[in-house]
């Protein structure tokens, strides 16, 4: 429970730092990444931190990651991206 509270605080702090105003001609995308080797809350934290620290983090307007339900390992990450062009979106995807 303490880890959940910590993760929530970290995620909220990161969201507050993001500028939510989008340029008039912004291109947006939402991508989901399947991460089959994610197996614990530490993995979720690592994925979140890596996304926030990637070279194109300024273009990521929202992100979250979670463990999938079920008996096996695995998780997902979802990103919402805003950029000036589809090429910029592709660059963010490559950086992540």
């Amino acid at each position: 429970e303490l880890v959940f509270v910590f993760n929530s605080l970290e995620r909220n702090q990161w969201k507050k730092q993001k500028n939510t105003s989008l340029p008039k001609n912004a291109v947006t995308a939402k991508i989901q990444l399947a991460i089959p080797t994610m197996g614990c809350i530490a993995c979720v934290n690592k994925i979140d931190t890596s996304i926030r620290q990637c070279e194109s983090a300024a273009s990521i307007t929202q992100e979250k990651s979670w463990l999938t339900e079920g008996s096996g390992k695995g998780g997902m990450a979802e990103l919402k991206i805003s950029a000036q062009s589809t090429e910029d979106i592709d660059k963010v995807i490559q950086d992540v």
Side-chain angles (χ1 to χ4, degrees):
E1 292 177 13
L2 210 66
V3 173
F4 175 78
V5 171
F6 176 77
N7 289 341
S8 297
L9 291 173
E10 285 285 314
R11 187 171 288 131
N12 288 336
Q13 183 179 12
W14 188 72
K15 284 180 188 177
K16 287 179 186 177
Q17 293 173 356
K18 302 303 285 180
N19 183 358
T20 56
S21 61
L22 300 175
K24 186 176 181 178
N25 297 326
V27 177
T28 59
K30 179 172 141 180
I31 61 168
Q32 286 190 335
L33 307 169
I35 308 164
T37 57
M38 190 186 309
C40 64
I41 196 66
C43 296
V44 172
N45 291 338
K46 178 59 179 160
I47 296 297
D48 286 343
T49 301
S50 296
I51 289 170
R52 291 182 195 130
Q53 294 177 351
C54 79
E55 190 174 309
S56 298
S59 297
I60 300 170
T61 58
Q62 188 177 3
E63 65 82 23
K64 63 181 176 178
S65 58
W66 64 93
L67 296 172
T68 53
E69 293 183 24
S71 61
K73 288 176 111 180
M76 299 286 294
E78 182 177 275
L79 309 170
K80 292 186 181 176
I81 304 167
S82 176
Q84 293 294 324
S85 67
T86 55
E87 291 81 14
D88 292 340
I89 296 283
D90 290 341
K91 182 180 180 333
V92 173
I93 292 169
Q94 290 298 318
D95 287 346
V96 172

